[in-house]
Structure formats: C-alpha cells, structure tokens
Amino acid sequence: MIRESVMMDEFMKAAIAEAKQGLKTGGIPIGSVLVKHNKIIGRGHNKRVQDGDPITHAEIDCLRNAGRIGNYQDTVLYSTLMPCYLCAGAVVQFNIKKVIAGESKTFTGAKQFMESHGVEVIDLDLAECQDLMKQFIEKNPRLWDEDIGQ
C-alpha cells in the first residue's frame, strides 16, 4: 500500500464515508472528495440509481457539489475506485493534476488515459475499498454491469 501522509488518509476516509452513504441510500458504493489547499471543497457519491441519472458518478457528483471554483489546477481528486473514462475526462477537462484512488482491482478504470494527459495517479490498493466493491458486485451484478456500461 502507498501512504502519502496523514492528511491524505483523512481525505480518503471522507471519500469512503461518501461511498458508504451512497450504499446506505440504495446506490453504488463509490465516493469522492475534491481537496484544495488541504481542505475538502466538494464531496459526492455515485447517485445513478437514486437520481435515475446515468451520469451521476461519484466524481461528477463531487465536482458538481464543489461548484464553480475557477481554477482546478491546485486540487486533488480522491475516489474510492479508479475513475472511469467519463470521470477521467472531467479530470482532464478541468486540468486536475492529481487523482488518488482507493483501489483498481474491482475496476481498472482509466488510469493510463489520465496519465497520458499529465495527471499523477496514485492507486492506494486499499482493502476496505476493494471489500466494499466486491460485496456490492456479488449482490448486484446487473446493476454493476449497468454502471460500467456492460
């Protein structure tokens, strides 16, 4: 496991709390936070099921909740799962320079795409994030396939 700092752990804990909130409200357990100058400025979780909206992935919800902040270059996006191409596209579009993912074993996501656009991507390979997704996927395989476009 990679550990950058105690601060980073607190931000990932906040993303995990978002994922658990999403699961508690009937959705997919993926959470995200946006950090600027060591402060959380946006939080979100996957709300595709709750909102009936195929675009409301955790990272998109997080960015929406952060609102218009002007410049995203000094931000770090934390996500419990490696971002998909949709969310990676938003990262590249808004010039977010760093993404920290809880895991990428249950879903490989778009790490190479982000890196090819100059984004530093760190995969923490956290058991808690993997377990959350594994349990969800086992219980809801059709919903998970829908979420990843299968």
Side-chain angles (χ1 to χ4, degrees):
M1 281 189 216
I2 299 169
R3 297 257 181 212
E4 283 203 327
S5 69
V6 174
M7 265 322 228
M8 185 222 43
D9 288 339
E10 292 306 309
F11 299 140
M12 186 53 71
K13 285 179 185 176
I16 291 169
E18 283 292 326
K20 289 177 179 178
Q21 178 62 27
L23 183 62
K24 185 192 278 187
T25 59
I28 300 166
I30 304 168
S32 183
V33 298
L34 186 66
V35 176
K36 186 169 186 164
H37 305 302
N38 289 321
K39 182 182 176 207
I40 295 174
I41 61 169
R43 300 171 180 266
H45 52 271
N46 187 304
K47 293 182 182 170
R48 292 181 64 258
V49 174
Q50 298 92 320
D51 292 353
D53 180 353
I55 305 301
T56 313
H57 287 205
E59 299 86 348
I60 301 301
D61 187 46
C62 175
L63 290 169
R64 283 178 176 155
N65 291 332
R68 293 180 58 213
I69 65 168
N71 185 318
Y72 294 81
Q73 290 181 1
D74 294 331
T75 63
V76 178
L77 183 71
Y78 289 78
S79 182
T80 58
L81 186 66
M82 186 64 68
C84 69
Y85 281 95
L86 170 71
C87 299
V91 165
V92 170
Q93 177 68 34
F94 292 115
N95 208 17
I96 296 169
K97 294 296 185 189
K98 189 172 190 176
V99 170
I100 299 177
E103 67 106 350
S104 65
K105 286 200 168 98
T106 60
F107 179 72
T108 57
K111 180 179 182 183
Q112 289 179 337
F113 172 79
M114 290 184 286
E115 289 176 333
S116 74
H117 286 85
V119 178
E120 178 185 2
V121 181
I122 297 171
D123 182 353
L124 298 176
D125 195 29
L126 297 174
E128 183 174 5
C129 294
Q130 290 172 29
D131 292 344
L132 227 102
M133 288 307 301
K134 284 178 186 175
Q135 291 171 18
F136 177 81
I137 292 167
E138 284 176 17
K139 292 177 183 173
N140 304 281
R142 287 191 180 132
L143 186 55
W144 175 241
D145 285 347
E146 176 189 324
D147 192 63
I148 60 173
Q150 298 272 329

